[in-house]
Structure formats: C-alpha cells, structure tokens
Amino acid sequence: MTGLPDILERGARSVDETLEELLPKASGPEGRFHEAMRYAVFNGGKRLRPVLATLSAAVFGVTGIRALRTAAAVEMIHCYSLIHDDLPALDNDDLRRGRPTCHRAFDEATAILAGDGLQSLAFEVLADPATHDDAEVRIGLVGALAHASGCIGMIAGQAIDMAAEHITLDAPAIRRLQALKTGGLFVFSARAGAILAKADEAAMIAFGRDLGTAFQITDDILDVEGDQEALGKATGKDAGAGKATLVEALGLEAARRKAVELSERAIDALENFGEAADGLRDMARFAVHRRV
C-alpha cells in the first residue's frame, strides 16, 4: 500500500480539476444554489469512488478525459447523496468532513436543490459525447449509474436504513442494505472502466461489491471506535439512532474479521489482471485498515 497515498492524492487532484470545469460557476439569481453545489463537492472528500473509477479504467487502458468525466459523474452522485442524507428529515447531521453540512451552511431548501442539481448534472456529463464518442458506451454508463444510485440501488438502501430504525434486521438483511446504499456506487466505479473499454465486467462487479461492503463495515467500526476530529463527523450516531449495522449484528471483532475477509475476496477477483490492478488491490487493503 506504499504507493496508494500518492495515487489517491494525484487522482483526487485530477478529479477536482475536472469537477471545477464541469460545475456551474455561482452567478445570477441562481448563484446561491450553484455555490451550495460547489460547497458540497469541494469540501475535502477523499474521492475514493472517482479514483476507483480511474484505476478501473486504467486496468483496461482507458485514461484521460473519458475516465475523468466518468469519475466526476460518480462523485457528483456521491455528494448529492451526502447532502440529502444529512438533511433533518433523514440523518439530521450538523457536520460533514469537519465542516457544517450543506443545509447548515446554507438552508434546507437550497441544500435540496444543490443535491438535485448534482444528480442531474452527473447524468448530463455521462450522456455527453465528450465522455465517449460511442453512444452505446454512454448509454451503458448512464444505465449502470442509474441502477446503482436509483430506486433499486442507493435510494432503496436509504429507505431500508430508515425502516431499520423501527424493525430488526438480521445480518443478511443488513448486508443487503449496505450493498444497496453503499455498495452500488463502488460497483459502478469498479465496472466503469470495463464499460468504457467495452470489456467483460464480471470480475470488476465482484471486486466492487466486496470492496463496497468492506468499506461500509469499516465505516461502522469507525463510528464505534473512531476519532470524531479525525473523521470530521460525529461518532456514535449509529447506535444512538438505532441504525442497523453488522457491528451491531455480529459484534465488533466479528465485523472486523468480515471486513478483512471481504477485502481479501475482492483482491482475489482481480487475479487475471496482473500488475495493472495493483492500485485496486491497494485500495481494497486501505478500505479495512483506514482510520478516517
């Protein structure tokens, strides 16, 4: 994992440059809404999902603007989901990445519009010929991201998460919740390179699925034992809100072992890709050993 910090830093910088070009500048009567979009995007995120997309693309020999526009689109969807998750009607969070959440920094209505704007812009970017000159590839990207983030993907996971505050979910049901709410965007990011290259997606789907679940379990562990200042958000909220997590269902140590098992299985899915996939392997290890 020695090279991963540099990979993440360089990748995040390239993604940020692309986002800067794609996001509307704050001006006119809609300027406050555009400012809120930018506030939510440029707030110190690790850019794991978009960097994952660029690493996946590189495995298939896809680099440059095609990979970066795809990466920017997935980060827009991720940031939109965080804006809406933080709203009073959902998680009611005051902090995100060490700063006031979007609805605290602006207001609730502006935050909702900022999330809506980021969601629609993500699909506009993928549908643009600047992302790929092959319409079938663009349709594939749009369809895959819509599936990952929509009513049978991330949003469905959020709905289950809300319901879990009032019902008891067993471990398989929690794994399904996490596969939908968190895993979907990891799966899209991992398979995006194969879509861009018109290559077989099966191994990357398997990798993204296990990576996403391992990442979420580690998030749940950090909510129990992590440092609030380092994380940039409140800890202990899952238990306080009655959230369904594998830490709660399995216990802390069993959940930790499960995350490591999933990380190793994700790495195994890359066995046919050789050194080109070393960055992805490092990311799978990082997912379970990170402290932020």
Side-chain angles (χ1 to χ4, degrees), residues 33-51:
F33 148 59
H34 289 158
E35 183 184 351
M37 290 174 66
R38 288 178 162 271
Y39 178 88
V41 170
F42 296 114
N43 66 348
K46 295 183 288 294
R47 308 299 194 215
L48 289 181
R49 292 157 189 81
V51 173

Side-chain angles (χ1 to χ4, degrees), residues 72-235:
V74 76
E75 185 67 359
M76 289 175 192
I77 291 291
H78 177 54
C79 292
Y80 128 71
S81 75
L82 297 182
I83 293 173
H84 284 196
D85 279 359
D86 289 338
L87 289 169
L90 292 173
D91 288 350
N92 194 25
D93 277 318
D94 294 329
L95 284 178
R96 171 66 63 180
R97 297 167 178 166
R99 297 201 304 172
T101 48
C102 193
H103 68 276
R104 293 297 184 194
F106 293 85
D107 56 74
E108 192 171 344
T110 301
I112 291 170
L113 292 177
D116 292 346
L118 287 169
Q119 182 193 46
S120 60
L121 182 57
F123 292 105
E124 181 181 343
V125 168
L126 292 184
D128 193 310
T131 299
H132 203 287
D133 55 5
D134 189 326
E136 288 190 11
V137 171
R138 300 198 303 273
I139 290 169
L141 290 169
V142 168
L145 186 55
H147 178 86
S149 63
C151 60
I152 56 173
M154 182 179 68
I155 296 174
Q158 179 64 56
I160 298 170
D161 198 23
M162 291 168 57
E165 296 178 18
H166 309 288
I167 61 175
T168 300
L169 300 182
D170 59 13
I174 295 171
R175 283 196 290 270
R176 177 171 180 262
L177 182 165
Q178 294 180 341
L180 294 173
K181 183 178 178 182
T182 303
L185 289 189
F186 277 94
V187 170
F188 172 80
S189 298
R191 70 187 288 209
I195 296 173
L196 286 165
K198 304 182 189 178
D200 186 88
E201 303 170 32
M204 289 298 178
I205 290 173
F207 171 79
R209 181 179 61 240
D210 288 335
L211 172 65
T213 305
F215 182 89
Q216 183 58 58
I217 294 172
T218 304
D219 246 19
D220 296 339
I221 292 169
L222 290 173
D223 186 70
V224 173
E225 61 179 21
D227 178 78
Q228 177 172 322
E229 184 175 347
L231 291 170
K233 61 181 179 180
T235 56

